[in-house]
């Protein structure tokens, strides 16, 4: 695949480029795009539309219904390699900078983890598969049900969520007294794993892996389940839901996210040459055909 000159720009995660968390202050200016919305920028319009649709349409009740639909695991059967190859035809509509297939990012992430952690093969595999839940778009889901940052449903929207309160102004949960308080339907310090997050590729893949009895350890499953939960692990919101032990979840996610965010480049890996190595890892931790 030949990369165009115009594509040799930052390939940082699109949500990072548009989110306001203080944790990202001090990064090189060329690595970020303004959080301001430029109505003349077609790509920013696309990103904004994706998030506004998500924040308008995803309600607590609809997320529960979507979970019930997808967690029957009866949509298709495929090996990990087959699912990853599908991502060769997937471009994330929330990405403001580039139109490379998601499979490229998968191998970029995995390879950087492999360079830094050559003896941790499950961590490498997590890098390869972490976005694999995006295959839902091939089975009828719009991207606002699949991509972007995640956030808890059933309680007040956190202040660091991308695009802020304005993007939730047409969401009925915003005005529902059952859901629009600090704790909403939850209890203080109930635990991060008790929260129902907005539906997307993170939660779906986590559930697929659990259903198919993966051998990836719990630390790796946390990385997958919460890597898009930026309002918590980067924005500092929702800490009042944490219980003893949840700091370990955050540590795992932050360990992974440095690779998810900062390994992207315009250099496309030689995917065909890399397959034999990663097929061995797939066979070790996620063998055979999976139920999706």
């Amino acid at each position: 695949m030949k990369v165009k000159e115009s594509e040799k720009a930052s390939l940082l995660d699109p949500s990072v480029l548009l989110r306001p968390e203080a944790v990202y202050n001090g990064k090189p200016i060329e690595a970020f795009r303004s959080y301001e919305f430029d109505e003349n920028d077609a790509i920013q319009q696309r990103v904004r539309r994706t998030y506004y649709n998500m924040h308008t349409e995803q309600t607590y009740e609809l997320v529960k219904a979507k979970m019930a639909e997808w967690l029957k695991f009866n949509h298709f059967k495929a090996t990990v390699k087959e699912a990853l190859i599908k991502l060769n035809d997937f471009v994330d509509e929330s990405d403001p900078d580039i139109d490379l297939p998601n499979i490229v990012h998968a191998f970029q992430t995995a390879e950087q983890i492999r360079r830094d952690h050559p003896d941790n093969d499950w961590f490498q595999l997590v890098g390869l598969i972490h976005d694999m839940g995006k295959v839902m778009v091939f089975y009828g889901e719009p991207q606002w049900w699949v991509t972007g940052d995640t956030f808890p449903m059933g309680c007040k929207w956190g202040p660091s969520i991308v695009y802020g309160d304005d993007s939730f102004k047409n969401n009925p949960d915003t005005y529902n007294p059952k859901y629009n308080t600090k704790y909403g339907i939850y209890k203080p310090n109930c635990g991060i794993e008790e929260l129902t997050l907005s539906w997307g590729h993170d939660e779906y893949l986590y559930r697929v892996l659990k259903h198919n009895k993966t051998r990836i350890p719990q630390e790796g499953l946390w990385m997958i389940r919460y890597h898009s939960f930026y309002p918590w692990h980067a924005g500092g919101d929702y800490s009042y839901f944490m219980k003893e032990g949840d700091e370990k979840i955050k540590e795992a996610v932050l360990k992974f996210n440095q690779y998810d965010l900062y390994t992207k480049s315009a250099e496309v890996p030689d995917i065909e040459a890399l397959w034999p190595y990663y097929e061995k890892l797939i066979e070790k931790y996620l063998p055979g055909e999976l139920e999706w």
Side-chain angles (χ1 to χ4, degrees), residues 9-158:
S10 169
L11 278 154
L12 291 175
D13 181 89
S15 303
V16 172
L17 303 176
L18 296 170
R19 69 167 67 90
E21 297 96 324
V23 71
Y24 297 110
N25 287 348
K27 299 298 180 187
I29 189 65
E30 64 269 19
F32 292 86
R33 294 182 65 170
S34 173
Y35 188 64
E36 298 294 326
F37 173 63
D38 181 357
E39 63 181 11
N40 297 314
D41 187 319
I43 296 177
Q44 286 192 11
Q45 288 182 37
R46 182 186 70 185
V47 174
R48 179 185 172 96
R49 182 168 58 250
T50 299
Y51 273 105
Y52 268 66
N53 283 336
M54 179 198 308
H55 296 170
T56 298
E57 302 295 339
Q58 289 211 28
T59 65
Y60 178 79
E61 296 299 331
L62 288 178
V63 166
K64 284 293 191 179
K66 191 62 64 175
M67 293 175 71
E69 175 187 349
W70 278 95
L71 300 185
K72 293 183 177 72
F73 307 108
N74 61 358
H75 284 75
F76 64 102
K77 293 182 179 181
T79 65
V80 168
K81 183 175 182 179
E82 288 168 343
L84 284 169
I85 288 173
K86 279 184 174 293
L87 296 182
N88 206 34
D89 296 319
F90 174 78
V91 176
D92 194 324
E93 289 179 357
S94 68
D95 192 326
D97 284 324
I98 200 162
D99 288 333
L100 284 177
N102 213 215
I103 195 173
V104 175
H105 169 52
F107 276 93
Q108 288 171 334
T109 305
E111 279 295 281
Q112 187 58 55
I113 294 172
R114 182 181 174 189
R115 284 188 282 271
D116 290 352
H117 301 273
D119 298 323
N120 193 338
D121 58 358
W122 67 258
F123 191 15
Q124 298 163 25
L125 183 60
V126 165
L128 185 71
I129 68 172
H130 72 279
D131 279 342
M132 199 165 58
K134 293 177 181 178
V135 296
M136 286 188 289
V137 300
F138 298 105
Y139 296 87
E141 294 295 356
Q143 289 210 23
W144 50 265
W145 270 121
V146 176
T147 63
D149 293 359
T150 57
F151 48 90
M153 310 300 297
C155 62
K156 186 175 178 62
W157 316 118

Side-chain angles (χ1 to χ4, degrees), residues 186-195 240-243 246:
Y186 308 107
K187 302 291 186 183
N189 307 115
C190 62
I192 293 299
E193 292 180 288
E194 293 300 311
L195 303 178
Y240 40 83
F241 289 130
M242 293 176 67
K243 68 177 183 181
D246 281 357

